[in-house]
Amino acid sequence: MEEIEYLGETIYRWEVGASTYLASPRRGARLMNWNLSYADGTFRDVIHWPDIDSIDKLVKARGGNPILFPFSARTFSKGEIHKWVAPSGKTLPMPMHGIARQNAFDITRADKTGFAAKLVQDKAAKEAYPFDYDFEVIYRFQEKEFSVELRLSNHGKQSIPWSAGHHFYFTIPWLDGTTRADYDLKIPAKKAVRHTPSGSLDPVKGLKKPESIANPSIVDRIHYQLTNSLVECVCKQDDSRLKIEIGTHATPNPGYALVTWTESDNSPFFCIEPWMGPPNAPEHEIGLHQVGPGETQAFSVTVSV
């Protein structure tokens, strides 16, 4: 592990065998890039990071892994977007993808194995999520895989609801000379939905297994009721694979979700996003999880090639 300067700030770099990881733990606990180098001098970007010219653009950069907490995507209260109803019955604000990606974090561990960082609860965070808690992001880096754990500890006297997630920007296609049509995505899901402008979930029929990355119908689609913890993206040209394991059990929690998204047909990335539940979990309660008083709950994901 070493500290390096990036746009006037300190970020961290880990070299683990052929893998190099870049992260900004203090800014949203953001993993920025993961790449692999090969003996012939070539390398593969596994997690995409764009060129930006200001550190302030890091929050909204289309790359890395923005942390989505306490809820993923958009929340609603009776049709009003960016609101949610707390257990107290009070309607509160909730930004798109929550409060973590734009917030500061304190580093609680940084060593050769990875890092851990705890959310700093500023005024906006306390207004949106007014509980007595600690939220920590924990990364562990290995040569051809990493794991990331989201951990919520409840120090209060009432249960805390959450449905957090990840927004991985994967470099796809990753093999020279291929296009998205050369990549299949294997998602072991029983159900799929789309999030409507009113906050409801519309069912999607006709799921294919596997599904082509080039199929526009999988963009902004939410899959849940996973029958297996393993999601795979496979390059049909050489059978190289990207694997995502969701949770720590062979059969994940039925509320856990896998979201597929990209910005355009020409984007250098395709997002494969493991979430604890579909969007707007506080309202429809699918994938809404409760952390009891004095308890700690975790959501773990492992990514490998």
Side-chain angles (χ1 to χ4, degrees):
M1 182 199 75
E2 63 176 325
E3 297 181 3
I4 61 174
E5 185 178 338
Y6 178 74
L7 298 176
E9 285 195 359
T10 298
I11 64 171
Y12 292 78
R13 176 167 60 198
W14 289 261
E15 293 186 0
V16 189
S19 285
T20 299
Y21 299 91
L22 292 175
S24 177
R26 293 186 179 90
R27 283 186 176 260
R30 184 73 159 260
L31 175 64
M32 297 163 60
N33 177 253
W34 174 25
N35 65 76
L36 284 165
S37 59
Y38 298 105
D40 62 2
T42 60
F43 75 97
R44 170 185 165 185
D45 245 357
V46 183
I47 290 184
H48 170 76
W49 185 254
D51 289 329
I52 59 175
D53 57 13
S54 168
I55 196 67
D56 293 330
K57 295 180 179 179
L58 186 146
V59 171
K60 295 186 177 181
R62 297 293 194 194
N65 179 35
I67 301 297
L68 317 180
F69 169 84
F71 309 116
S72 302
R74 298 167 294 278
T75 57
F76 292 77
S77 172
K78 298 178 181 179
E80 186 178 5
I81 194 170
H82 304 318
K83 302 286 186 178
W84 77 290
V85 179
S88 64
K90 187 177 180 180
T91 298
L92 301 174
M94 183 56 63
M96 174 74 171
H97 288 319
I99 58 177
R101 61 179 181 149
Q102 66 271 39
N103 259 50
F105 278 69
D106 285 333
I107 297 174
T108 55
R109 176 182 61 83
D111 56 29
K112 65 180 181 180
T113 66
F115 74 89
K118 185 170 68 175
L119 176 72
V120 176
Q121 299 172 40
D122 63 9
K123 182 179 179 180
K126 291 177 180 178
E127 182 182 6
Y129 201 60
F131 304 105
D132 184 6
Y133 69 94
D134 284 327
F135 174 66
E136 195 170 26
V137 178
I138 303 161
Y139 274 96
R140 300 175 179 89
F141 300 132
Q142 299 185 50
E143 181 171 9
K144 292 188 178 181
E145 73 173 46
F146 70 85
S147 64
V148 53
E149 179 180 305
L150 307 182
R151 185 182 296 173
L152 178 59
S153 298
N154 183 356
H155 303 307
K157 297 181 180 180
Q158 60 179 315
S159 292
I160 300 178
W162 72 317
S163 187
H166 300 277
H167 200 315
F168 295 118
Y169 285 81
F170 291 113
T171 301
I172 303 174
W174 62 70
L175 184 67
D176 288 345
T178 60
T179 68
R180 287 182 179 175
D182 295 304
Y183 295 81
D184 278 345
L185 192 57
K186 299 179 179 180
I187 307 173
K190 289 183 179 180
K191 294 185 177 182
V193 292
R194 294 193 183 280
H195 201 200
T196 72
S198 67
S200 63
L201 302 177
D202 275 1
V204 173
K205 296 182 179 180
L207 294 181
K208 296 180 180 179
K209 299 178 182 180
E211 187 76 81
S212 173
I213 288 285
N215 182 358
S217 71
I218 71 171
V219 176
D220 217 16
R221 197 164 77 187
I222 303 109
H223 314 76
Y224 70 104
Q225 287 197 4
L226 304 176
T227 59
N228 191 295
S229 63
L230 182 62
V231 175
E232 290 187 285
C233 184
V234 182
C235 177
K236 295 180 286 185
Q237 295 297 321
D238 65 354
D239 201 41
S240 55
R241 295 168 185 255
L242 171 70
K243 299 181 180 181
I244 304 171
E245 292 186 56
I246 304 174
T248 56
H249 301 285
T251 302
N253 183 293
Y256 286 180
L258 193 285
V259 181
T260 45
W261 180 83
T262 192
E263 192 170 31
S264 72
D265 291 342
N266 300 317
S267 297
F269 56 79
F270 192 92
C271 297
I272 306 170
E273 309 174 37
W275 295 0
M276 294 177 71
N280 200 27
E283 193 165 59
H284 56 63
E285 296 188 348
I286 300 173
L288 184 67
H289 305 261
Q290 300 284 344
V291 184
E295 295 180 353
T296 295
Q297 199 172 102
F299 178 56
S300 298
V301 172
T302 299
V303 180
S304 62
V305 294

